[in-house]
Amino acid sequence: MGAGHPLTLKWLGIDTYQEAVIYLHRDCEVCRSEGFEAQARVRVEAAGGQIVATLNVVDSDILAPCEAGLSVVAWRQLRVADGDTVRVSAEPPLDSLVALRGKIYGRRLDAAAMRAIVDDIAAGRYANIYLAAFVAACAGGRLDVDETVALTRAMVDAGQRLDWGRAPIADKHCVGGLPGNRTTPIVVAIATAAGLTMPKTSSRAITSPAGTADTMETMAPVELDLPAIRRVVEREGGCVVWGGAVGLSPADDMLIRVERPLGLDSEGQLVASVLSKKVAAGATHALIDIPVGPTAKVRSPQAAALLMTLLEHVAATLGLSTRIVLSDGAQPVGRGVGPALEARDVLAVLRREAGAPADLAERALMLSGALLEFCGAAAEGTGIATARGLLDSGRAWRKFLAIADAQGGFREPPRAAHVRMVDAPCAGRVGAIDNRLVSRIAKLAGAPRDAAAGLELFVKVGDRVDAGAPLYALHAESPGELDYAFDYLAAHPETVVVLPA
């Protein structure tokens, strides 16, 4: 280990999510000699490596002056054990913060400044407060086209990049905002059954009740390293894994850490996030789904056109071929909203069960067909029929099982301990379902933290219902979360609007 003050580690078991934090007693030698105060950024070195962490100061006897504690994520990053020795020293000021402050005041970030910021983010040098400042400074349309290109390039260059040595390499992404729209596992199964190569790296939830990785994790392991991903793809032609486990775009993973609690997913950062991970994963062809609807993330055709233009321009600059599909985002897709509930819908479609959600199946077939045509696996105009044949024959289901087995083994999604039905207040017709409220209620029920939690819809817009007929069910792992979600739902009857007959 290098220079710094030696301290003995004590396990405290404090979960700070993904922020590296070190805890020192106010009277320890480090704080006295260096003049460290709470929130200082310090370098922490151990035999297993070094990290930059945020200092929290302790006044109680939970730590002795000669001891140090670490947050759970910092403990894992350093690969240390209780009683190990660490050294703590000052971390030099970051030059990139000058550029960040300029952006906050409205100045553009050139390519060099953007790269400096992204490199520091990827290296873990930015505390959560700096990450939040960067996210906020870029939100609300404050990144122009050149800045978005620079951000995307910097994100790609800051991480690892896969090269499969062949083409086409297919990928697919949805920009989000539509609860239950879990088409990716179905599309991967169909595309790989058709002979395409599709190494799909997916995100966990940012502002939604479930990300593709969260849903897939209820059916198979998703935290694979790069050698394991290569083995799965070489064996089965594709995978569905969590991109955050392999460092393909580490700066984006850091930004997601603060985007989630802030509830922000700005246009420029969305484009950079999506495309950087496609390029880093070695994709040559990316199909991008943009759902458009009054309560979706993209609310109007005009906003969709702007986003489509930005995606196409940045992708072309990076040498990535894209095909963009504008889809109906007026209401949730499928029945389940939440990791396990969405997984059950996916399995129902792949298994061709009689009660499988037809809207999820048709959307997945539409996207699969477009991808097959885009990548040359089906002639123009025949993609959907080809995809339907692969699904109806069972080949897609068998391929999905083979991929799950290669990733570590298939399992059935869990079921929640507590379920509460909500019935129609009157006879009539379902007039509207609010995507944002559905997502919020599913999160209040515990999704995605509790994989089995969420909301299950039994109706679609336009359906006729009788008084007392089931509209949806809340799923939760604890009675308290079930009550919390139900109370919020009761205060927002506009979640599912039933127009009296």
Side-chain angles (χ1 to χ4, degrees), residues 14-184:
I14 300 175
D15 184 1
T16 58
Y17 185 46
Q18 294 179 3
E19 183 172 21
V21 178
I22 184 168
Y23 303 90
L24 301 179
H25 196 281
R26 191 177 300 278
D27 293 332
C28 78
E29 181 185 353
V30 178
C31 290
R32 291 201 314 268
S33 63
E34 298 288 349
F36 287 153
E37 296 182 352
Q39 295 300 305
R41 296 288 283 171
V42 298
R43 181 170 299 172
V44 185
E45 297 179 75
Q50 65 178 30
I51 61 170
V52 178
T54 300
L55 172 63
N56 282 3
V57 176
V58 175
D59 287 314
S60 72
D61 59 2
I62 191 174
L63 287 174
C66 61
E67 293 178 323
L70 293 172
S71 62
V72 173
V73 68
W75 196 277
R76 291 173 181 164
Q77 288 172 348
L78 283 173
R79 301 185 295 278
V80 289
D82 203 35
D84 283 357
T85 297
V86 293
R87 291 182 178 271
V88 181
S89 57
E91 173 69 4
L94 297 175
D95 293 338
S96 68
L97 289 178
V98 176
L100 172 55
R101 281 191 288 270
K103 183 61 180 174
I104 291 170
Y105 283 102
R107 291 198 290 274
R108 291 186 68 261
L109 292 170
D110 61 21
M114 189 70 81
R115 184 172 298 276
I117 290 173
V118 170
D119 285 348
D120 281 340
I121 290 173
R125 301 187 188 105
Y126 267 36
N128 276 4
I129 192 169
Y130 302 151
L131 293 172
F134 180 68
V135 168
C138 297
R142 294 183 181 91
L143 285 182
D144 64 25
V145 174
D146 290 340
E147 287 176 307
T148 303
V149 170
L151 176 59
T152 309
R153 284 191 187 280
M155 283 184 170
V156 172
D157 294 342
Q160 301 188 72
R161 186 168 179 176
L162 296 175
D163 184 356
W164 299 98
R166 58 184 182 273
I169 302 297
D171 209 322
K172 172 263 173 191
H173 184 83
C174 175
V175 302
L178 198 56
N181 189 25
R182 201 55 57 213
T183 56
T184 292

Side-chain angles (χ1 to χ4, degrees), residues 186-246:
I186 303 169
V187 173
V188 171
I190 291 172
T192 52
L196 289 177
T197 301
M198 193 168 180
K200 184 72 181 79
T201 61
S202 298
S203 298
R204 296 194 183 275
I206 300 176
T207 59
S208 69
T212 296
D214 301 310
T215 297
M216 186 67 185
E217 193 171 40
T218 69
M219 299 180 282
V222 296
E223 294 194 17
L224 278 63
D225 60 18
L226 286 177
I229 290 173
R230 283 197 176 277
R231 286 195 298 271
V232 173
V233 174
E234 294 300 335
R235 174 176 148 182
E236 300 298 340
C239 63
V240 183
V241 299
W242 177 43
V246 292

Side-chain angles (χ1 to χ4, degrees), residues 209 416-420 422 439-455 473-490:
H418 303 275
V419 179
R420 182 178 298 178
V422 178
S439 291
R440 190 171 302 154
I441 291 162
K443 289 191 287 185
L444 291 174
R449 181 190 66 258
D450 295 328
L455 186 148
L474 296 174
H475 296 244
E477 288 299 293
S478 72
E481 285 178 314
L482 193 71
D483 290 341
Y484 189 28
F486 182 80
D487 290 345
Y488 186 89
L489 190 82

Side-chain angles (χ1 to χ4, degrees), residues 180-446:
N181 189 25
R182 201 55 57 213
T183 56
T184 292
I186 303 169
V187 173
V188 171
I190 291 172
T192 52
L196 289 177
T197 301
M198 193 168 180
K200 184 72 181 79
T201 61
S202 298
S203 298
R204 296 194 183 275
I206 300 176
T207 59
S208 69
T212 296
D214 301 310
T215 297
M216 186 67 185
E217 193 171 40
T218 69
M219 299 180 282
V222 296
E223 294 194 17
L224 278 63
D225 60 18
L226 286 177
I229 290 173
R230 283 197 176 277
R231 286 195 298 271
V232 173
V233 174
E234 294 300 335
R235 174 176 148 182
E236 300 298 340
C239 63
V240 183
V241 299
W242 177 43
V246 292
L248 293 180
S249 185
D252 186 51
D253 297 326
M254 297 282 192
L255 292 171
I256 287 172
R257 189 170 85 199
V258 299
E259 287 174 341
R260 181 182 286 115
L262 284 174
L264 287 176
D265 195 7
S266 66
E267 186 178 85
Q269 286 172 332
L270 181 154
V271 169
S273 173
V274 170
L275 297 182
S276 67
K277 288 185 173 177
K278 305 306 168 203
V279 173
T284 60
H285 293 65
L287 181 79
I288 300 176
D289 176 22
I290 303 179
V292 184
T295 59
K297 181 181 293 183
V298 181
R299 301 191 185 188
S300 68
Q302 294 77 16
L306 290 172
L307 180 58
M308 181 168 60
T309 299
L310 184 59
L311 281 163
E312 289 175 336
H313 176 82
V314 176
T317 303
L318 296 172
L320 176 66
S321 296
T322 55
R323 180 171 292 186
I324 296 177
V325 176
L326 302 182
S327 61
D328 180 12
Q331 62 179 320
V333 178
R335 287 189 291 268
V337 180
L341 292 168
E342 294 177 24
R344 282 156 55 182
D345 282 352
V346 166
L347 293 176
V349 171
L350 286 169
R351 289 166 169 162
R352 306 172 320 287
E353 295 176 2
D359 58 339
L360 176 64
E362 291 305 314
R363 184 179 288 260
L365 288 169
M366 179 269 292
L367 294 171
S368 298
L371 186 63
L372 294 180
E373 294 176 12
F374 183 35
C375 294
E380 289 293 328
T382 68
I384 292 178
T386 302
R388 194 181 300 277
L390 292 166
L391 182 65
D392 290 345
S393 68
R395 287 178 61 189
W397 168 233
R398 291 192 293 274
K399 175 56 74 174
F400 180 82
L401 281 178
I403 290 172
D405 181 66
Q407 289 184 199
F410 173 76
R411 53 181 173 250
E412 292 289 338
R415 293 181 179 271
H418 303 275
V419 179
R420 182 178 298 178
M421 303 294 292
V422 178
D423 299 332
C426 61
R429 181 177 58 83
V430 178
I433 302 176
D434 191 303
N435 290 312
R436 292 172 183 263
L437 287 174
V438 165
S439 291
R440 190 171 302 154
I441 291 162
K443 289 191 287 185
L444 291 174

